[in-house]
Amino acid sequence: MEDQNLFNTALQIHLILSPITLLALSFIQAPYGKHYRGGWGPSISPSYGWFLMESPTLWLTLLIYPFGRNFSNPKSIALISVFLFHYIHRTLIYPIRLTKSRKNQNSKKHSFPISVVLMAFVYNLLNVYLQSRWVSHYADFNGGGNDWRFWGRFCVGLGIFVSGFAVNVKSDLVLVSLKGDDGGYKVPKGGMFEFVSCANYFGEIMEWFGWMVMIWSWVGFAFFMYTCSNLVPRGGANHRWYLEKFRDEYPKKRRAVIPFVY
């Protein structure tokens, strides 16, 4: 019962975070990447920053998952494998790719404030607890006659997730390849960048929409809503930044994050 109370409280906090984050990011952007600015304390390289703040998605998942009653259930295993698939890439592969890029890692404008890393680290602790605990313990995978519903939703959600993952990774590769030795920015082109300024954000939003469809629960809804609350305002800020910096050459028909919408 104590764990159930903790889970419910954590879920309520997660749901409340979305409107708070949306409101906050409508006025101020996290100070990294294009929006880096001083005054946020000491910084580290983006590679270390991404690794540290995303690391709970791996080690905490692996600590929580084995202790749930669904530990050996094929449905649970399928879901947690998808979750880990994304975060193995985000925690381990993506930071390595940043390190190997030609970007000037010593440039201040490409630093990652430790304060931002810590905030993301705490959020990931909350989110991973909810996603992993629900999949491993609280989800009812044994209800009568629900196999076809589960696997139907899983296949639809997985299709959306994989499509989003492909967009996200391809877009990240484009962005990393544009960074020259001077750490400067260029206009991204090709793929979903022909439609939106932040194709990588659109891909990640697709991923967690697919995840929400797959797990069909409040925890998936909370994660999807937080992803939108976090990435849509930042995508809008990035779009305005591109329009200002590349005023004469930036495609005016591009949207910020969602093709044809915003």
Side-chain angles (χ1 to χ4, degrees):
M1 183 61 68
E2 289 183 1
D3 183 74
Q4 179 73 69
N5 291 336
L6 175 63
F7 183 87
N8 291 338
T9 300
L11 178 56
Q12 291 169 6
I13 292 172
H14 200 179
L15 289 167
I16 293 171
L17 278 178
S18 292
I20 293 175
T21 300
L22 179 62
L23 180 63
L25 293 183
S26 297
F27 295 97
I28 186 171
Q29 290 302 315
Y32 66 90
K34 299 175 182 63
H35 306 285
Y36 178 82
R37 56 193 179 278
W40 287 72
S43 299
I44 57 178
S45 74
S47 300
Y48 289 123
W50 279 107
F51 171 76
L52 290 173
M53 70 184 185
E54 300 286 359
S55 62
T57 61
L58 298 183
W59 58 260
L60 186 55
T61 297
L62 297 176
L63 283 175
I64 291 174
Y65 185 79
F67 296 98
R69 62 186 177 90
N70 298 323
F71 170 64
S72 60
N73 190 295
K75 298 172 185 175
S76 177
I77 293 172
L79 287 172
I80 208 66
S81 296
V82 173
F83 187 77
L84 287 172
F85 175 77
H86 170 89
Y87 280 113
I88 287 172
H89 172 265
R90 181 58 65 190
T91 306
L92 302 177
I93 299 174
Y94 179 67
I96 292 173
R97 187 178 296 132
L98 285 179
T99 300
K100 291 183 176 181
S101 73
R102 294 179 299 165
K103 181 175 63 178
N104 181 0
Q105 295 289 332
N106 294 320
S107 174
K108 271 293 182 184
K109 65 180 176 181
H110 292 303
S111 295
F112 219 112
I114 294 177
S115 56
V116 175
V117 172
L118 289 176
M119 285 187 285
F121 183 89
V122 171
Y123 169 75
N124 279 323
L125 290 176
L126 171 69
N127 186 52
V128 170
Y129 166 72
L130 285 169
Q131 308 302 321
S132 298
R133 189 60 176 159
W134 189 90
V135 170
S136 68
H137 190 73
Y138 289 114
D140 180 13
F141 294 128
N142 299 313
N146 69 354
D147 278 6
W148 70 269
R149 292 189 185 90
F150 173 84
W151 291 114
R153 287 195 303 265
F154 180 84
C155 290
V156 171
L158 183 63
I160 299 171
F161 182 96
V162 171
S163 299
F165 181 83
V167 170
N168 180 257
V169 172
K170 182 177 180 179
S171 302
D172 279 341
L173 288 171
V174 170
L175 292 174
V176 169
S177 70
L178 290 178
K179 299 288 177 25
D181 293 331
D182 61 351
Y185 288 96
K186 301 177 183 178
V187 177
K189 299 177 181 179
M192 288 303 299
F193 282 114
E194 297 302 315
F195 301 94
V196 293
S197 296
C198 299
N200 51 332
Y201 293 173
F202 175 64
E204 188 149 353
I205 289 171
M206 284 182 63
E207 285 185 73
W208 300 122
F209 178 76
W211 173 254
M212 180 182 69
V213 173
M214 279 187 277
I215 69 172
W216 206 249
S217 71
W218 281 106
V219 295
F221 174 77
F223 189 15
F224 172 68
M225 291 304 297
Y226 184 85
T227 299
C228 293
S229 298
N230 185 28
L231 296 185
V232 171
R234 187 170 181 86
N238 285 354
H239 182 66
R240 292 188 293 273
W241 183 91
Y242 277 122
L243 289 172
E244 179 65 25
K245 184 173 180 63
F246 304 102
R247 186 172 303 175
D248 297 328
E249 59 180 300
Y250 202 73
K252 299 300 186 293
K253 292 184 178 180
R254 282 189 192 178
R255 298 295 186 177
V257 187
I258 310 298
F260 312 112
V261 177
Y262 174 78

